Amino acid sequence: MPLLVREARPDDLEGLRAFAGRCSPETLHRRFHGVGSRTVERELRRVAVPTPNYRSWVAVDDGGNLRGTATLARSRSGAAEAALLVEDAWFRRGAGRALVAELGAHARRRGLDPIVARVQADNERALRFLRAVVPGARIRFDGAGELEVRVLVGHEARTREAA
């Protein structure tokens, strides 16, 4: 089934809620690092209403259902931080790959380099996915049971590939 990846918008909020409802408790725990339903709702609202420092994309199937979301946000330190959530039934069907490609394209256009993501250290599924989709990613232990995944997307990445 083909997917369309586009920027999230305010009228996506109900679809985002339905999408989150189709995600397993483990998947939500992995994405939100174990926080409660209030935090999930707050994050869904942020996804639906982009700001200059917080932009999200959704993967939509041909029936209009949201199947995944990706966010790129500026942290307090100024880093470009990425987050990804894909509905369980859509694992290994291209949604995550399409969303990561859109994040990378946006980061290159905006000169955001590198992109950083935080992954729970025992999240083998996410680590295998990231290694497959962004083979040049640097992964290091960041404390508190998390790994920092650093992806070069711009000039520095091209320089490294040429070396």
Side-chain angles (χ1 to χ4, degrees), residues 22 53 57 63 67 70 81 91 98 103 109-110 119 140 151:
R22 293 188 300 271
N53 289 323
W57 293 263
R67 302 301 183 176
E81 292 194 2
F91 290 167
L103 282 180
R109 287 190 303 271
R110 299 281 192 245
V119 178
R140 70 175 185 86
V151 180

Side-chain angles (χ1 to χ4, degrees), residues 5 15-16 24 32 45 63 67 90 107 146-147 150 160:
V5 175
L16 286 163
S24 69
F32 297 106
R45 288 177 182 275
R67 302 301 183 176
W90 281 76
E146 290 186 348
L147 300 172
R150 183 174 291 267
R160 179 166 298 170

Side-chain angles (χ1 to χ4, degrees), residues 26-27 29-34 81-85 100 115-131 134 137-151:
E26 179 185 357
T27 295
H29 174 82
R30 293 295 188 182
R31 164 59 180 88
F32 297 106
H33 297 244
E81 292 194 2
L84 185 70
L85 178 62
V100 168
I115 296 175
V116 176
R118 307 234 181 279
V119 178
Q120 294 163 339
D122 64 344
N123 191 343
E124 287 296 322
R125 183 178 65 214
L127 293 170
R128 279 193 308 273
F129 169 76
L130 290 168
R131 286 184 177 117
V134 284
R138 293 183 183 166
I139 300 172
R140 70 175 185 86
F141 185 69
D142 195 30
E146 290 186 348
L147 300 172
E148 177 187 83
V149 180
R150 183 174 291 267
V151 180

Side-chain angles (χ1 to χ4, degrees), residues 12 30 48 75 78 88 92 97 99 115 133 154:
D12 286 327
R30 293 295 188 182
S75 71
D88 299 60
R92 302 186 61 81
R97 187 175 293 271
L99 288 162
I115 296 175
V133 174

